[in-house]
Amino acid sequence: METISKRSLLAAGLAAGVAGLPRGAFAAQPGRKLGYAILGLGYYATRIIMPRFAECEHSRLAALVSGTPEKLKTYGEQYGIPETHRYSYETFDRIIDNPDVDIVYVITPNSLHRPFTERAARAGKHVMCEKPMANTVADCEAMIAACKKAGRKLMIGYRSRFQAHNIEAIKLVRDGALGPVRTVVTDHGFTIGDPKQWRLNRALAGGGSLMDIGIYSLNAARYLTGEEPVAVNAVESTDRSDPRFGEVEDIINFQLLFPSGATANCVSAYSVNCNRYRVSGPKGWVEIDPATSYQGQAMRAQLGGPPAPREPAPQPKNQFSAQLDHLSECILTGREPIVGGDDGLKDLRVIEAIYRAAREGRTVKL
Amino acid sequence: METISKRSLLAAGLAAGVAGLPRGAFAAQPGRKLGYAILGLGYYATRIIMPRFAECEHSRLAALVSGTPEKLKTYGEQYGIPETHRYSYETFDRIIDNPDVDIVYVITPNSLHRPFTERAARAGKHVMCEKPMANTVADCEAMIAACKKAGRKLMIGYRSRFQAHNIEAIKLVRDGALGPVRTVVTDHGFTIGDPKQWRLNRALAGGGSLMDIGIYSLNAARYLTGEEPVAVNAVESTDRSDPRFGEVEDIINFQLLFPSGATANCVSAYSVNCNRYRVSGPKGWVEIDPATSYQGQAMRAQLGGPPAPREPAPQPKNQFSAQLDHLSECILTGREPIVGGDDGLKDLRVIEAIYRAAREGRTVKL
């Protein structure tokens, strides 16, 4: 899918050259809004992310990258992005010469996350990469190495970490309101449609429901407990005669055991609709349903009294704008993102263990 | 704990003798209310079950069996049970001579279910036995054999099968409202207290949370799908330094795979409070929370539109009275209970597989 042109190789060489420069040489000055290039102009990029720069304090939409000229024209005009700041995948590496772009946000099919992250880093840009970070642990490690070599930051698009209800749930756990976490029950799935979409193509998606939606169950179990699992069970259920599931799994439910003794039961599915979690300890529980959706989160908690709705502390920004600004702020202040490449890598380590546990019919230790 | 007296051995011989009589020789005539002997006068028997004979059509409280003379006196007087119909565990086998008693309802610690069921059957009585049916598959098989030999019916106290919301959920599934079941997510647990109670004594309870409360998750997964699992995963998490859990497990979460491809993620816990399930298919889901409690069930469903509360079709009786009357009706009409010894045995088969899966760290096939 990707061809590396002479120009991009040249750009890669230049990028490698600048890796030796002092950190922040390409970073914006405090006060300036950092410029994002959105790479991949699909539904999520154009309908969900791009409109949310309007609420950003530290981020602005500065460039577009797409394989479809019509999309570059349409969204370029809509968002006032000059032609000089519109790139095809062939011309993308020239972005090294564009000082208006600080960050490349990679929103492509999963298998392209690694090569585009590597190219962005070689072009001296910081990288925001959608989840799943990549298809394999090896890919994640290569992406982390590429950004490290370029002296650039890498963040994964785990937007729920910036969402008010999720922040409240994490806070309740950390504050000890539930006592020690004993169980997380989290279900993520949707009934997938068109069998021809890239999410059902193994080469592009790297897997099925787990890579796309089940990863929310995994990530939530990790951020709610604040721990990394040490043992994994899994069971897969896929109707291979269904034209949607010739290449990738439908259901792959998994169980996690954490060092503290906390446990998680997780659903990952392409044949049912669900989006929720409940985290419980001896003193009570908190649940969000829907939990990791674009909007509409609703929370209930049982803390001493009977179960009751709970409104989280308000957050200054919506989850999307807050996510975009978080990376900008990290760049401006020299901090590391709370969901860096290491967090994406940790999810992929568990994902590989989940697939292995289901395939081999055994508990996989981590 | 149990001593078999000469008298009980004699009774056993007599019971064996009557096994050859025509079916129904001891059964009541249609129209008459069948007489129950309640064996074991603990909280569940005295506070939950005994008051519910008042709403029964075909059942009445006829006798009491207890190891505590004060309880026999107190409840005997309260319910107008004559002294001739009050038995100690030593005198229990004389119940063979009491024509007012058709059914013995065994509500003792788990390990006593088998011996008392066998003694009741030898006394020519039908048996209602609380869940879990027994501690092992072998015990269940012996109980089934004992009742079969005596020509008497055996039913397990799976009261949720007679509860309106649960009946509605099963009906929605069977009617195809959800499409084929793909996932059942069900959590049952409570924060157990006094470390000295019999539920935390392995010899009496046979195990920990799974035997007592997690069995509701298992039984629900089975009655919602209408299938028997073919593969089981499990993970245990028990703090053995906690004085409650020196002998039995705290958390043992399990996963089930059914022949149709339906899956279940189940929580079983003695350190968190939970009592719920959601069953999902491509067309929607239905959930009950609390699901299998004594009262207070609440249902939501997502069937085409957004999730919404749902009131089940009303049932003529509460779950307890309906359960009691079901066995009476089966006896009066010659039918088999919908939750007979075979159903209790099936749960124990899976329970043994769950313990094995957790212990051996592998998927156990059934």
Side-chain angles (χ1 to χ4, degrees), chain A residues 117 130 132 229 235 276 316 318:
Chain A
T117 293
E130 257 313 305
V235 61
R276 63 172 184 162
N318 67 76

Side-chain angles (χ1 to χ4, degrees), chain B residues 56-335:
Chain B
C56 285
E57 287 179 279
H58 307 294
S59 313
R60 64 188 181 87
L61 180 58
L64 300 173
V65 190
S66 172
T68 310
E70 297 73 29
K71 288 185 181 179
L72 287 173
K73 183 169 188 299
T74 300
Y75 296 108
E77 289 174 0
Q78 182 179 335
Y79 285 92
I81 307 297
E83 286 188 35
T84 53
H85 291 50
R86 303 176 196 169
Y87 300 87
S88 70
Y89 294 139
E90 287 68 37
T91 63
F92 167 57
D93 304 278
R94 291 188 206 161
I95 207 162
I96 192 172
D97 299 319
N98 190 335
D100 291 337
V101 174
D102 302 276
I103 301 163
V104 174
Y105 190 166
V106 179
I107 318 185
T108 62
N110 305 340
S111 64
L112 302 178
H113 289 180
R114 173 179 171 177
F116 280 121
T117 293
E118 290 174 330
R119 287 169 68 180
R122 284 196 300 261
K125 306 304 180 186
H126 304 280
V127 179
M128 177 83 81
C129 179
E130 257 313 304
K131 42 60 55 183
M133 181 172 171
N135 289 358
T136 66
V137 165
D139 285 344
C140 293
E141 289 171 339
M143 292 158 75
I144 291 170
C147 291
K148 187 177 178 186
K149 183 178 174 191
R152 292 297 171 266
K153 294 194 188 293
L154 172 58
M155 175 171 157
I156 311 304
Y158 290 124
R159 59 183 162 71
S160 296
R161 294 294 292 279
F162 304 93
Q163 196 281 326
H165 297 71
N166 285 269
I167 290 170
E168 179 87 356
I170 294 170
K171 184 176 187 307
L172 283 169
V173 171
R174 299 290 181 281
D175 288 351
L178 315 178
V181 172
R182 299 295 292 149
T183 57
V184 176
V185 174
T186 174
D187 308 334
H188 283 83
F190 64 90
T191 51
I192 200 161
D194 178 15
K196 296 205 176 75
Q197 67 189 286
W198 71 260
R199 285 181 169 79
L200 297 170
N201 176 316
R202 175 167 293 277
L204 288 172
S209 71
L210 181 57
M211 297 299 283
D212 187 52
I213 187 72
I215 191 173
Y216 287 96
S217 291
L218 168 58
N219 199 250
R222 289 180 51 248
Y223 63 70
L224 289 167
T225 59
E227 298 182 80
E228 298 305 317
V230 292
V232 176
N233 287 330
V235 62
E236 191 200 321
S237 178
T238 304
D239 176 2
R240 293 295 177 183
S241 73
D242 187 316
R244 298 171 298 175
F245 304 126
E247 296 192 7
V248 303
E249 81 278 359
D250 170 9
I251 290 174
I252 187 160
N253 297 340
F254 51 99
Q255 303 189 290
L256 307 174
L257 177 65
F258 294 91
S260 70
T263 62
N265 273 7
C266 304
V267 164
S268 171
Y270 265 163
S271 55
V272 299
N273 292 308
C274 49
N275 185 310
R276 63 173 185 162
Y277 62 70
R278 183 188 287 189
V279 51
S280 306
K283 294 165 67 178
W285 51 255
V286 57
E287 71 178 13
I288 316 182
D289 182 0
T292 65
S293 46
Y294 296 159
Q295 57 189 7
Q297 273 81 354
M299 178 180 271
R300 286 201 315 156
Q302 190 265 305
L303 298 168
R310 184 184 179 93
E311 273 303 308
Q315 296 297 322
K317 290 173 210 161
N318 67 78
Q319 60 183 326
F320 310 101
S321 302
Q323 174 200 323
L324 292 165
D325 267 353
H326 179 69
L327 179 54
S328 297
E329 292 171 77
C330 285
I331 293 165
L332 291 168
T333 61
R335 284 177 299 165

Side-chain angles (χ1 to χ4, degrees), chain A residues 180 182-187 191 231 233-239 250-251 253-257 260-267 269 271-278 280-285 287 289 300 302 357-358 360-364, chain B residues 180 182-187 191 231 233-239 250-251 253-257 260-267 269 271-278 280-285 287 289 300 302 357-358 360-364:
Chain A
R182 298 296 293 151
T183 58
V184 177
V185 174
T186 174
D187 308 334
T191 51
N233 286 331
V235 61
E236 191 200 322
S237 178
T238 305
D239 177 1
D250 171 9
I251 289 174
N253 297 341
F254 51 99
Q255 302 189 289
L256 307 174
L257 176 65
S260 69
T263 62
N265 273 7
C266 304
V267 164
S271 55
V272 299
N273 293 308
C274 49
N275 185 310
R276 63 172 184 162
Y277 63 69
R278 181 187 289 189
S280 305
K283 294 164 66 180
W285 52 255
E287 70 178 12
D289 183 359
R300 285 201 315 155
Q302 190 265 306
E360 299 181 4
R362 65 180 181 88
T363 301
V364 172
Chain B
R182 299 295 292 149
T183 57
V184 176
V185 174
T186 174
D187 308 334
T191 51
N233 287 330
V235 62
E236 191 200 321
S237 178
T238 304
D239 176 2
D250 170 9
I251 290 174
N253 297 340
F254 51 99
Q255 303 189 290
L256 307 174
L257 177 65
S260 70
T263 62
N265 273 7
C266 304
V267 164
S271 55
V272 299
N273 292 308
C274 49
N275 185 310
R276 63 173 185 162
Y277 62 70
R278 183 188 287 189
S280 306
K283 294 165 67 178
W285 51 255
E287 71 178 13
D289 182 0
R300 286 201 315 156
Q302 190 265 305
E360 299 180 3
R362 65 180 182 87
T363 301
V364 172

Side-chain angles (χ1 to χ4, degrees), chain A residues 2 5 40 63 116 130 141 144 189-190 204 209 235 254 276 354 357:
Chain A
E2 186 202 14
S5 64
F116 280 123
E130 257 313 305
E141 290 172 337
I144 290 170
F190 63 91
L204 288 172
S209 70
V235 61
F254 51 99
R276 63 172 184 162
I354 292 167

